[in-house]
């Protein structure tokens, strides 16, 4: 029997993970990537235990652990430094499968690129649509060319052209806030993964390897476009300068060239993830606001389940049923993250002092056992 030919659109974390697992499942895999091969280094990101369960199956867990740093616990504070909630690293390791780890996006991509054979990716190939008929599926490329296969996976991000070709692309939903991300030359290896909640603002800190700290700042963007990366640090120094240590010190230790700013958008969950022999994965399927830090984690879960389903397709005739099984297995969990992330982001942007006091009081009153139970559910994934 001829091997199934899989075409993956997008060579970010989701696409690279899907490609590695499909190849291991016996499929012939081809990636197309709109960029020309030279990528910006990006900022940091966080991965949680469910991501590492998936990375073990993908074959990149050891490399990603080596390039990342663990956070010693998980904490929430007020701008003055009062603790709203804290779960120790020991409890996370014993009850939740591990702590969060942070790394540079470039280092994550490097670990996933190491799993790809030479010539696996066609760079500078921008997908503008999808063609599907009895002969198979194809990514229609800018300029008129095509790449063909038996199954096509759109892993081309929140503004996915594959998704747009299947379901339309006019449903982006502004979340009303922007996020600045940066890397500071500031060392605190024993620091927890920390989220500080203010009135209409949030600040997060995660230790990185080599004496650095990954940080993010969320702030309302409803009054106009967010500041550019070049102008962002002075604005953040003004808005967060009186917050608890080490927030001001971390900002002062950041080079402006290591800052990115993004207006946050998401999409409402889709009822279907695909049509026929075409499906979606990662942000193309279920883009989420970054409030839970689960976007990349959920993409890796997609990759594992998708490869498992396609491995049992039994030929081209079985592909549509395999893709439906994949979506059925993943939709509820991934869409739950999308909805939760959307409302957590909104919650963090409350400005009214009375509402902020109620929010902080509810977080402070939540029993640690309930918090640990929620984390166990979020981090549980059977690869």
């Amino acid at each position: 029997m001829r091997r199934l030919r899989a075409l993956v659109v997008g060579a970010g974390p989701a696409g690279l993970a899907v490609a590695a697992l499909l190849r291991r499942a016996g499929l012939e895999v081809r990636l197309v990537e709109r960029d020309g091969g030279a990528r910006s280094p990006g900022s940091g990101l966080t991965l949680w235990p469910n991501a590492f369960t998936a990375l073990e199956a993908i074959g990149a867990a050891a490399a990603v652990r080596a390039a990342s740093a663990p956070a010693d616990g998980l904490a929430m504070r007020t701008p003055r430094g009062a603790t709203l909630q804290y779960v120790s690293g020991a409890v996370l390791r014993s009850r939740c499968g591990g702590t969060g780890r942070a790394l540079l996006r470039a280092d994550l991509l490097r670990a996933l690129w190491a799993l790809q054979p030479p010539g696996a990716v066609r760079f500078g190939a921008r997908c503008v649509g999808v063609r599907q008929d009895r002969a198979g599926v194809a990514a229609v490329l800018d300029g008129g060319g095509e790449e063909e296969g038996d199954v096509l996976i759109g892993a081309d991000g929140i503004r996915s052209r594959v998704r747009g070709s299947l379901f339309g692309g006019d449903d982006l939903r502004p979340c009303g806030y922007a996020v600045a991300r940066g890397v500071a030359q500031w060392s605190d290896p024993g620091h927890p993964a920390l989220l500080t909640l203010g009135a209409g603002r949030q600040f997060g800190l995660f230790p990185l390897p080599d004496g650095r700290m990954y940080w993010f700042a969320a702030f309302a963007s409803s009054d106009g476009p967010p500041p550019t990366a070049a102008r962002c640090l002075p604005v953040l120094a003004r808005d967060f300068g009186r917050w608890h240590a080490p927030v001001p010190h971390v900002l002062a230790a950041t080079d402006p060239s290591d800052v990115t700013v993004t207006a946050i958008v998401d999409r409402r969950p889709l009822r279907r993830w695909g049509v026929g022999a075409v499906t979606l994965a990662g942000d193309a399927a279920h883009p989420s606001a970054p409030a839970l830090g689960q976007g990349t984690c959920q993409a890796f879960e997609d990759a594992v389940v998708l490869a498992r389903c396609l491995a049992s397709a039994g030929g081209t005739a079985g592909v549509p049923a395999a893709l439906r099984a994949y979506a059925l297995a993943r939709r509820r969990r991934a869409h739950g993250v999308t909805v939760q992330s959307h409302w957590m982001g909104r919650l963090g942007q409350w400005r009214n002092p009375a509402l902020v006091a109620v929010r902080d009081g509810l977080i402070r009153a939540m029993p640690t056992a309930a918090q640990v139970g929620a984390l166990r559910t979020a981090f549980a994934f059977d690869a």
Side-chain angles (χ1 to χ4, degrees), residues 113-196:
W113 274 113
L115 304 177
Q116 314 301 321
V121 184
R122 178 178 173 181
F123 289 106
R126 189 168 75 93
C127 175
V128 295
V130 171
R131 177 183 60 77
Q132 184 167 195
D133 54 33
R134 291 183 179 181
V137 293
V140 180
L141 305 178
D142 189 23
E146 290 188 350
E147 283 280 352
E148 298 180 338
D150 301 309
V151 57
L152 188 150
I153 298 99
D156 48 341
I158 191 167
R159 290 174 171 82
S160 168
R161 298 303 294 265
V162 177
R163 177 182 175 130
S165 183
L166 296 179
F167 305 117
D170 58 352
D171 58 339
L172 277 176
R173 179 172 59 172
C175 294
Y177 64 98
V179 172
R181 298 175 175 90
V183 175
Q185 298 299 318
W186 179 270
S187 179
D188 190 354
H191 206 280
L194 173 63
L195 176 63
T196 300

Side-chain angles (χ1 to χ4, degrees), residues 53-64:
T53 300
L55 284 166
E56 290 285 357
I58 294 164
V64 173

Side-chain angles (χ1 to χ4, degrees), residues 174-312:
C175 294
Y177 64 98
V179 172
R181 298 175 175 90
V183 175
Q185 298 299 318
W186 179 270
S187 179
D188 190 354
H191 206 280
L194 173 63
L195 176 63
T196 300
L197 293 170
R201 301 187 186 105
Q202 302 174 60
F203 202 94
L205 291 167
F206 299 82
L208 285 168
D210 303 324
R212 297 166 298 172
M213 185 76 77
Y214 165 54
W215 59 264
F216 71 83
F219 48 90
S221 62
S222 54
D223 299 331
T228 62
R231 295 177 50 222
C232 192
L233 279 177
V235 174
L236 296 179
R238 179 197 69 199
D239 291 346
F240 295 92
R242 294 175 180 259
W243 286 35
H244 65 75
V247 171
H249 311 298
V250 166
L251 289 172
T254 302
D255 189 298
S257 64
D258 291 326
V259 179
T260 61
V261 186
T262 310
I264 301 302
V265 295
D266 66 3
R267 296 181 191 269
R268 289 181 175 83
L270 285 170
R271 293 188 177 184
R272 292 188 298 162
W273 283 9
V275 175
V278 181
T279 196
L280 304 169
D283 282 349
H286 45 80
S288 298
L292 299 180
Q294 275 286 320
T296 305
C297 305
Q298 293 300 306
F300 290 157
E301 291 189 18
D302 287 349
V304 172
V305 176
L306 176 57
R308 184 188 300 154
C309 291
L310 280 174
S312 59

Side-chain angles (χ1 to χ4, degrees), residues 54-123:
L55 284 166
E56 290 285 357
I58 294 164
V64 173
R65 282 197 181 93
S68 62
D72 191 16
L74 181 61
M76 298 179 76
R77 293 181 187 165
T78 69
R80 293 185 177 183
T83 297
L84 296 173
Q85 202 169 82
Y86 175 67
V87 181
S88 71
V91 169
L92 287 173
R93 286 186 289 271
S94 64
R95 301 288 306 282
C96 303
T99 64
R101 300 182 72 96
L103 75 166
L104 297 180
R105 188 175 189 275
D107 290 335
L108 175 62
L109 288 173
R110 192 173 296 114
L112 295 169
W113 274 113
L115 304 177
Q116 314 301 321
V121 184
R122 178 178 173 181
F123 289 106

